[in-house]
Amino acid sequence: MKPIIGITCCTDRNLKHYIADAYLSAIRFAGGVPVILPAGSERDLPLLWPKIDGILLTGGGDIDPFLFGEEPERHLGEIEPGRDPFEIFLCRQALLDDMPVLAICRGMQILNVAAGGDMYQDIYSQFQHKVLQHTQQAARSHLSHTAAVTPGSLLHRLAGQSVVKVNSFHHQAVRKVAEPFETAARASDGVIEAIESRTHRFMLGVQWHPEALLASEDQLSRKIFQTFIESCKKT
Ligand SMILES: [Mn+2]
């Protein structure tokens, strides 16, 4: 049986829901069935929950800083207020029930916030020292900066090496990593590029976009999606 993967989507200020096809294709590539979960589904979650085998938290706009106890800074970008509460609800349920989660970019940040962590609203103005260019000016399939993988992590096993190259489309980043998460990769400037829980079946957040690297046969991206879908099959 193919696992059914609940996928979160963007909500814009006109209350439209949308998602890049790359996320759906990546789930299908790895052998899963993608189903989009619209924001505002909190009350329907008890009905949806038994029907899904894993969750993919996708990228998107910025996160409302109120959720980690801050006022909006000057360099905060467009937020998705309709989306945050549903995703936090989803993350907390997944943490409790050990539902496999793959969290990409914004998804990794909201997963950490849901666990009680916080984040930089804008790394360029808030990081303690000079940062790399994390908003690459190149195609989504281009690998623009390196990330050092934490020895002994799940990500390290998937990568099979201690330094990987990743694409980068973010100006926000995880700051305080909350339990049960641990840092799984860092860019050379110290920006956290991946987090994972070692006490769950599969709970991995990456700051980059592996769904955009499948067509170029990036081995780590394939491994990430395949291992995620594999772990969703075990009940
Ligand atoms: Mn980056």
Side-chain angles (χ1 to χ4, degrees):
M1 285 285 281
K2 289 180 170 184
I4 295 175
I5 308 302
I7 305 184
T8 59
C9 60
C10 295
T11 54
D12 70 12
R13 61 173 84 182
N14 300 315
L15 305 180
K16 286 188 178 173
H17 295 252
Y18 60 99
I19 183 168
D21 184 71
Y23 294 109
L24 311 177
S25 304
I27 294 301
R28 291 188 187 112
F29 158 82
V33 178
V35 173
I36 298 169
L37 303 177
S41 299
E42 284 91 330
R43 274 195 296 176
D44 297 328
L45 205 61
L47 284 170
L48 286 166
W49 204 248
K51 296 186 164 62
I52 58 175
D53 305 298
I55 291 167
L56 176 63
L57 296 168
T58 57
D62 284 4
I63 291 169
D64 185 350
F66 181 76
L67 296 167
F68 48 95
E70 290 184 4
E71 296 279 348
E73 298 279 337
R74 146 132 178 54
H75 295 287
L76 178 70
E78 172 132 7
I79 59 170
E80 299 187 69
R83 182 178 179 179
D84 295 327
F86 174 57
E87 292 198 346
I88 285 181
F89 191 75
L90 210 53
C91 290
R92 290 185 178 156
Q93 197 62 44
L95 282 162
L96 280 175
D97 286 359
D98 199 8
M99 173 80 84
V101 176
L102 175 58
I104 293 177
C105 198
R106 172 194 211 276
M108 152 168 147
Q109 297 162 3
I110 201 90
L111 182 61
N112 183 54
V113 167
D118 67 12
M119 52 188 284
Y120 295 100
Q121 295 186 38
D122 174 64
I123 47 172
Y124 299 115
S125 53
Q126 293 185 309
F127 209 69
Q128 60 268 34
H129 54 84
K130 231 173 93 178
V131 287
L132 299 174
Q133 184 192 61
H134 287 275
T135 39
Q136 74 184 51
Q137 308 295 309
R140 294 185 75 76
S141 58
H142 177 68
L143 302 172
S144 69
H145 72 71
T146 60
V149 182
T150 307
S153 62
L154 162 71
L155 188 65
H156 191 237
R157 282 205 301 285
L158 298 181
Q161 54 197 59
S162 50
V163 178
V164 296
K165 240 182 137 186
V166 298
N167 56 4
S168 195
F169 300 93
H170 61 108
H171 79 109
Q172 301 202 299
V174 165
R175 185 166 53 197
K176 189 190 88 201
V177 177
E179 274 187 51
F181 296 106
E182 297 172 54
T183 301
R186 273 182 201 273
S188 61
D189 56 11
V191 167
I192 294 173
E193 288 282 335
I195 60 170
E196 63 181 52
S197 165
R198 297 189 198 175
T199 55
H200 290 83
R201 275 198 284 167
F202 186 101
M203 193 76 72
L204 174 68
V206 293
Q207 186 58 70
W208 67 93
H209 284 273
E211 83 285 359
L213 300 171
L214 291 173
S216 53
E217 303 195 5
D218 180 71
Q219 290 309 306
L220 175 57
S221 300
R222 292 187 166 201
K223 223 38 192 295
I224 287 172
F225 279 101
Q226 285 163 343
T227 309
F228 169 54
I229 295 298
E230 248 346 279
S231 71
C232 295
K233 287 179 186 167
K234 294 171 201 148
T235 46

